[in-house]
Amino acid sequence: MTNKNSNKESVNITNYRREYTESQRRGVKTWLTDILNELKISDQTIEYQASIQKMSDLINRDAVVRMYLTKMLEQSHGNTRFDTEDESGLITTIDTLLLVMNYIVTRAPNFVYDEKNPDLTGAYTFPLSSLFTEMMATEAGESAFRNAAFNNALTEVLQAWCDYLDSDASTSVLNHEKNGWLSAQGQEYTELYKFVTEPGHPHLGFTSYNDFFHRKIKEELRPIASPADPKVIASPNDGTVYKIASNIEKSTDFWAKGQTYSLANILNNDADYVNHFTGGNMVQTFLSGNDYHRFHSPIDGTVEKVEVVQGLTFSQRSSEKEPGAGTESLGYEAAVNTRGLLYIRSNDKTLGTVCIIPIGITEISSVRFGDHIKPGYQVTKGEEVGHFSYGGSTLCLLFQPGAIKNFVVEPTESQSGAQAGSVVKVNAQIATAN
């Protein structure tokens, strides 16, 4: 299914998955220690943000949730991303966990720059991932993050954080100081020159941290592939190809090793669409924190249906203990995480209906479609249809059987050795239709 002669760029995907060096691990430990020291100084006056208070009330009220979290901390030895098995972790009680969560979600993340330690540049950009990585990989953690009551409480926490990151108050980190995102080092790290800014305006025109996170890229950098040719399918997003799959099944053990795709779960048990896409093709890509976080239509067509399915947030495939806070579980996450479903019907009968599936992985896990993206709307190839708010994300593109002649990108190799997949750019060709 792949075109070996395609002009592609290949990267080591582990770079995107935050595989920390020892200096980065020490940096995260210093970061968390500083938070705990600050909390000790002010602990007499701390009031939980409302959603954290609701989570605290749930934990006190629900014995099962309290059991899972207690055992999770015991099994992780209080470790976060930085610790080794020989170290004593810093998060050993539920109260400490809630205090640190409260600290994180009442702030926007700073840019980190340390001229003496370049490895730390951009560290802690996703602080909840740093906090949860070891915990969510334990047996009890797997159960905790799949528990409906706890996941609902965590979703409320993330929504409250998202609301703050949508507010003007979150622009405090969009400054030109050393650890500001608009500093010379911050602009270099984010390659801000590629994006639309408003020089001379406060915060270069960004109205919130989320506005900065899903900043618009300059149109000339993402030209639309063959706009008049319906057989040329464009990539809906920037990212790295994780997997290309064919003959997708209605229902599989998506949680098992190999992570096959299960349409019934991915498509929220919509029987008509499950039957329609059974036997079709799927390509899944992964977005790094610095990738362009808006997604576009891969084809011309008519919007048939659009919905956002609320799902899990920090859950990962069983026994998947890895440094990327869930990014090794992308196939599993496609079936269980919060995700959007946008069905677009092409005028080309062979291509038929295509489904765009943006998926939140960690942090906010927010998927937002444009207000104009409604059934009956005529969308054009390359048109923006939505964006991710702050956090890690992945996206699947689903095709009906017989629609695809070939893909012009290659997936990540999952076996031992180098893990590399094609880099894709929004609006560039990703496949050819029959």
Side-chain angles (χ1 to χ4, degrees), residues 358-370:
I359 304 160
I361 303 178
T362 55
E363 309 305 304
I364 298 299
S365 297
S366 175
V367 174
R368 298 178 176 180
F369 289 108

Side-chain angles (χ1 to χ4, degrees), residues 262-289:
S262 178
L263 283 175
N265 301 97
I266 293 172
L267 301 183
N268 200 29
N269 294 300
D270 186 320
D272 289 339
Y273 279 116
V274 170
N275 290 331
H276 178 82
F277 285 105
T278 297
N281 299 91
M282 177 101 83
V283 56
Q284 184 173 9
T285 53
F286 170 79
L287 288 76
S288 77

Side-chain angles (χ1 to χ4, degrees), residues 18 20 24 27-33 35-36 78-82 91 96-112 122-136 145 154 157-158 161-162 164-165 173 181 189 209-210 213 289 314 323-325 361-365 389-392:
R18 307 302 296 161
Y20 272 28
Q24 288 172 326
V28 173
K29 184 171 186 177
T30 299
W31 162 77
L32 185 53
T33 300
I35 292 176
L36 292 172
N79 291 342
T80 57
R81 177 168 281 176
F82 59 82
I91 310 296
T96 302
L97 178 64
L98 290 174
L99 281 170
V100 174
M101 287 179 63
N102 187 75
Y103 182 97
I104 289 172
V105 303
T106 52
R107 291 160 173 78
N110 276 309
F111 173 68
V112 174
Y124 342 132
T125 300
F126 300 110
L128 284 182
S129 296
S130 292
L131 183 65
F132 291 151
T133 296
E134 299 295 326
M135 300 173 189
M136 61 195 267
F145 285 99
L154 182 56
V157 170
L158 299 179
W161 194 17
C162 189
Y164 174 78
L165 297 179
V173 298
W181 286 99
Y189 178 77
Y209 182 79
N210 265 338
F213 183 79
F314 282 86
I361 303 178
T362 55
E363 309 305 304
I364 298 299
S365 297
S389 290
Y390 165 65

Side-chain angles (χ1 to χ4, degrees), residues 89-265:
L90 298 177
I91 310 296
T92 57
T93 69
I94 291 174
D95 286 343
T96 302
L97 178 64
L98 290 174
L99 281 170
V100 174
M101 287 179 63
N102 187 75
Y103 182 97
I104 289 172
V105 303
T106 52
R107 291 160 173 78
N110 276 309
F111 173 68
V112 174
Y113 176 70
D114 186 343
E115 61 273 15
K116 295 181 180 179
N117 193 345
D119 276 355
L120 294 183
T121 300
Y124 342 132
T125 300
F126 300 110
L128 284 182
S129 296
S130 292
L131 183 65
F132 291 151
T133 296
E134 299 295 326
M135 300 173 189
M136 61 195 267
T138 64
E139 183 177 351
E142 290 170 0
S143 297
F145 285 99
R146 291 175 185 148
N147 178 275
F150 181 69
N151 182 69
N152 290 340
L154 182 56
T155 299
E156 286 195 43
V157 170
L158 299 179
Q159 183 57 58
W161 194 17
C162 189
D163 291 343
Y164 174 78
L165 297 179
D166 279 334
S167 74
D168 177 71
S170 66
T171 59
S172 61
V173 298
L174 303 181
N175 60 67
H176 298 271
E177 298 172 7
K178 176 183 175 181
N179 286 324
W181 286 99
L182 304 184
S183 65
Q185 294 79 14
Q187 292 194 42
E188 180 182 2
Y189 178 77
T190 58
E191 298 185 315
L192 197 59
Y193 64 90
K194 294 181 179 179
F195 296 86
V196 177
T197 60
E198 297 180 32
H201 289 70
H203 317 296
L204 294 183
F206 298 113
T207 58
S208 68
Y209 182 79
N210 265 338
D211 189 37
F212 170 76
F213 183 79
H214 50 64
R215 53 197 175 271
K216 292 189 176 184
I217 201 161
K218 295 177 179 177
E219 289 186 6
E220 62 269 23
L221 298 181
R222 296 294 184 270
I224 301 170
S226 304
D229 186 349
K231 298 295 185 182
V232 173
I233 299 167
S235 172
N237 63 292
D238 278 16
T240 303
V241 178
Y242 167 71
K243 183 177 287 187
I244 296 174
S246 58
N247 196 27
I248 306 297
E249 298 180 51
K250 287 185 178 181
S251 180
T252 66
D253 294 343
F254 60 84
W255 57 86
K257 190 172 182 178
Q259 300 179 78
T260 53
Y261 293 112
S262 178
L263 283 175
N265 301 97

